[in-house]
């Protein structure tokens, strides 16, 4: 009997994991804060922006299509990104050694949020919290232009940043409402030093643990 209680089934172990969505406008610090979070909470980082940049580097058809949209500040189609995410989650497998996953930059549309909720239910997993990094537009632009000096990202220029902000307001803001309705939304003041912001995020995560 003891053996049985010690060995968790896949569904039981999934339900004990912490799964986090980190959301916020371009330049709000999703990537930066994800790096701190995965270290402290031993989570797996999954950034859809990074997944797309890997496809672009491969130079395949999908990468070319994504590159054209990204450099123009537009989102890639929902079916493309949902497929890429599912592939990544399946590759990690249910028994990956981390305590859970942090999704950075996904979901970005209500369609994607619904697909994610479906994916979670098929895997008997759940999203515990959506962290929304709130940063003023002026600061976002300053941060991205600064990063653009060295990032090599062809969406780190003023013209594309303005389009990305517009797309964020129109297509991604409704995702925040979606998670507010599920009672999983936590807004975090994303202004200040990286350490101050991480402290605020840690408090929010510790409250759900
Ligand atoms: P993605 O890669 O997700 O880019 P993004 O959302 O535009 O965000 P960024 O990566 O630019 O910013 P960040 O919030 O990670 O900030 P960071 O920590 O780097 O997506 C790129 C594109 O891919 C999208 O536009 C879209 O086309 C496509 N895409 C991706 N996911 C998609 C999806 N789900 N559906 C459809 N399309 C999708 O910080 C920014 C800078 O500020 C850094 O230099 C950092 O060092 C600095 N910084 C961070 N914190 C601070 C601080 N507190 N003080 C001062 N500087 C700071
Ligand atoms: Mg990022």
């Amino acid at each position: 009997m003891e053996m049985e209680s010690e060995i968790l089934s896949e569904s039981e172990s999934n339900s004990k994991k912490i799964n986090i969505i980190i959301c916020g406008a371009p330049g709000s610090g999703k990537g930066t804060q994800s790096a701190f979070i995965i270290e402290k909470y031993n989570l797996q980082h999954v950034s859809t922006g990074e997944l797309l940049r890997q496809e672009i580097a491969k130079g395949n058809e999908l990468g070319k299509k994504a590159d054209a949209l990204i450099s123009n500040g537009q989102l890639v189609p929902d079916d493309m990104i949902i497929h890429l995410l599912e592939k990544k989650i399946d590759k990690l497998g249910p028994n990956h050694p981390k305590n859970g996953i942090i999704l950075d930059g996904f979901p970005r549309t209500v369609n994607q949020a619904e697909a994610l909720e479906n994916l979670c239910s098929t895997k008997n997993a759940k999203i515990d919290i959506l962290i929304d990094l709130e940063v003023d537009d002026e600061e976002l632009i300053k941060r991205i232009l600064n990063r653009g000096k060295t990032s090599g990202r062809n969406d780190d220029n003023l013209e594309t940043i303005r389009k990305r902000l517009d797309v964020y307001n129109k297509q991604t803001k409704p995702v925040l409402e979606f998670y507010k309705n599920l009672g999983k939304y936590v807004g975090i003041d994303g202004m200040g030093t990286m350490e101050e912001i991480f402290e605020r995020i840690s408090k929010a995560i510790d409250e759900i643990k």
Side-chain angles (χ1 to χ4, degrees):
M1 284 318 264
E2 206 182 309
M3 282 288 282
E4 263 176 27
S5 62
E6 271 174 18
I7 300 170
L8 293 172
S9 71
E10 182 188 308
S11 55
E12 281 170 328
S13 66
N14 263 347
S15 65
K16 288 194 190 328
K17 293 194 164 168
I18 320 171
N19 296 311
I20 298 173
I21 296 171
I22 189 155
C23 196
S28 58
K30 300 183 293 295
T32 304
Q33 294 299 329
S34 290
F36 291 130
I37 298 168
I38 59 168
E39 180 77 22
K40 177 164 178 185
Y41 297 96
N42 191 29
L43 302 182
Q44 173 69 45
H45 184 209
V46 176
S47 152
T48 45
E50 292 300 329
L51 291 179
L52 288 165
R53 285 185 284 277
Q54 282 166 15
E55 294 299 316
I56 294 171
K58 286 182 203 160
N60 56 25
E61 279 311 307
L62 190 151
K64 283 182 194 148
K65 195 173 165 193
D67 194 19
L69 289 162
I70 293 174
S71 2
N72 194 31
Q74 305 302 310
L75 297 182
V76 306
D78 285 337
D79 55 349
M80 179 196 283
I81 201 72
I82 291 165
H83 177 69
L84 267 184
L85 179 85
E86 284 178 350
K87 224 170 73 178
K88 176 71 183 176
I89 301 286
D90 283 342
K91 202 169 151 199
L92 287 171
N95 300 318
H96 68 85
K98 305 285 183 181
N99 292 337
I101 289 176
I102 177 156
L103 288 173
D104 163 358
F106 187 96
R108 263 176 149 98
T109 64
V110 170
N111 241 339
Q112 292 178 21
E114 284 165 352
L116 177 63
E117 289 303 309
N118 286 337
L119 182 69
C120 283
S121 59
T122 63
K123 306 213 175 279
N124 196 28
K126 66 174 192 330
I127 299 299
D128 295 287
I129 183 174
L130 177 143
I131 294 169
D132 173 30
L133 294 175
E134 300 163 327
V135 177
D136 300 347
D137 281 5
E138 202 186 323
E139 171 73 10
L140 295 171
I141 294 170
K142 203 172 86 190
R143 286 185 193 173
I144 301 183
L145 287 180
N146 194 34
R147 185 181 63 190
K149 291 177 194 158
T150 54
S151 70
R153 279 178 57 168
N154 56 9
D155 56 348
D156 281 354
N157 58 73
L158 194 55
E159 197 193 339
T160 312
I161 296 167
R162 291 202 193 284
K163 286 189 194 160
R164 284 156 73 193
L165 285 174
D166 194 42
V167 165
Y168 179 79
N169 288 326
K170 289 194 178 118
Q171 299 191 55
T172 308
K173 284 260 174 87
V175 173
L176 307 180
E177 289 305 312
F178 181 96
Y179 281 95
K180 270 180 197 164
N181 290 334
L182 295 179
K184 292 175 179 176
Y185 172 92
V186 177
I188 297 280
D189 178 3
M191 301 285 286
T193 67
M194 296 174 190
E195 292 75 17
E196 284 165 348
I197 298 161
F198 182 54
E199 218 176 290
R200 296 174 198 141
I201 293 176
S202 290
K203 267 195 197 138
I205 297 176
D206 291 342
E207 270 173 30
I208 55 145
K209 275 176 73 196

